[in-house]
Amino acid sequence: MAAGADIVILDGPLGTELAARGIETPAPLWSAAALLDARGCDVVRAIHRDHARAGATVHTANTFRTRRRQAGAAWAELAARAVSLAREAVPPGHRVAGSIAPLEDCYRPDLSPADAREEHRELARALAAAGVDVLLCETFPHVGEALVALEEAVATGVEAWASFTAGPEADLLSPEDVEVAAREAAARGARAVLVNCTPAARTLAYVERLAACGAPFGAYANAGAPGEGLGWRAAPGSSAAARYADLARSWIEAGATIVGGCCGTGPEHVAALRALVDDDARAPARRRRRAAGSPR
């Protein structure tokens, strides 16, 4: 298990958090629709700011759908705007990641196009030019497309991460599939490999397989079905965020050094992760004080 000081806290989602704050996220732009007007941009800034205050230190810009395929001629302007909003909102020293997502539906690997390379190259280069610190190839259920996106991200010279999803039912990729994919990603230059947007209660099996990939690894899960009580704007005072952090503890115990939240989570989940990590970091000092006879 990594020491608390060695754990990186990712932020939570933009798409579902935008919707929870009253911003419409229609297809095909989805979360990127918020970039089209001043009110949406203000809410994007506020979400980044809230995640930073909660304890995240890596913040994913709102570029999940800022590509030519969905945004048309305005795609590059929207991508640059998304990176700027993130950079403006978070403290100096925090890192901004540019999101590179599947060209089509992240839960429909059957829709992955055979000729994905040029479009992934285009966005990767634009995000690198915009000054991101990390290129996060995320929410890929199609391993082949993920590896193409990763290769183009690595080619920019910016640190690149790869994250795979098993989908909302954890049936698009098996833990064994993710292990093979993670090994391939590490061999292609991924500086970290992750699993994301898989139900939190079913994520541990995937994290355990990531341990064999030879690169730093982690997870940022979704909150599962609303009835699981892990998120989706649970009632104030609920234990949703704490329960999510309890699950994340098992990922860290399995060796994960990067944790965060995906759909259905929010800043309160990031705060619970930060509290978990900080408490673990303080534990050795507390043990030393107890051994020395100090009550604190």
Side-chain angles (χ1 to χ4, degrees):
M1 178 174 172
D6 298 325
I7 307 297
V8 173
I9 304 294
L10 297 177
D11 60 1
L14 277 163
T16 56
E17 190 66 14
L18 283 164
R21 298 188 188 201
I23 301 298
E24 293 185 359
T25 56
L29 284 177
W30 192 49
S31 55
L35 302 170
L36 298 176
D37 59 52
R39 177 172 177 263
C41 288
D42 286 344
V43 175
V44 169
R45 280 194 202 90
I47 293 170
H48 285 310
R49 194 175 298 120
D50 289 347
H51 282 139
R53 288 170 176 163
T57 59
V58 177
H59 307 270
T60 304
N62 189 17
T63 61
F64 196 88
R65 280 288 178 265
T66 58
R67 60 170 77 250
R68 190 185 303 277
R69 181 175 291 238
Q70 285 86 23
W75 75 271
E77 178 184 356
L78 294 179
R81 182 177 303 160
V83 174
S84 293
L85 292 174
R87 190 70 74 188
E88 292 166 10
V90 305
H94 284 210
R95 289 187 287 172
V96 171
S99 171
I100 300 176
L103 296 183
E104 292 293 342
D105 194 314
C106 56
Y107 297 149
R108 291 285 306 275
D110 57 302
L111 297 180
S112 178
D115 55 347
R117 186 172 298 277
E118 181 56 39
E119 289 181 74
H120 286 307
R121 177 184 298 139
E122 184 175 60
L123 182 58
R125 289 179 176 178
L127 293 174
V132 299
D133 304 296
V134 175
L135 287 169
L136 174 58
C137 303
E138 63 172 342
T139 327
F140 279 89
H142 190 287
V143 173
E145 185 184 352
L147 296 177
V148 166
L150 173 65
E151 288 169 356
E152 295 305 323
V154 169
T156 67
V158 174
E159 180 175 340
W161 298 359
S163 189
F164 304 92
T165 184
E169 305 298 329
D171 58 358
L172 299 180
L173 292 171
S174 69
E176 294 79 9
D177 292 333
V178 168
E179 178 182 344
V180 172
R183 287 179 183 272
E184 291 292 334
R188 285 165 168 77
R191 298 279 294 279
V193 292
L194 305 99
V195 60
N196 79 290
C197 217
T198 298
R202 301 179 69 175
T203 291
L204 178 59
Y206 293 89
V207 173
E208 289 173 335
R209 289 288 184 158
L210 290 177
C213 74
F217 62 94
Y220 52 115
N222 65 43
E228 294 181 51
L230 292 174
W232 302 107
R233 287 290 178 171
S238 79
S239 62
R243 292 180 60 222
Y244 182 90
D246 284 342
L247 292 169
R249 179 186 292 278
S250 70
W251 313 337
I252 294 170
E253 290 173 346
T257 56
I258 306 169
V259 292
C262 204
C263 298
T265 69
E268 65 273 20
H269 294 75
V270 173
L273 292 173
R274 173 52 65 191
L276 166 68
V277 168
D278 288 351
D279 187 62
D280 285 347
R282 288 190 291 266
R286 287 199 299 270
R287 288 194 292 268
R288 288 194 297 271
R289 288 194 294 271
R290 284 196 294 269
S294 170
R296 295 190 178 186

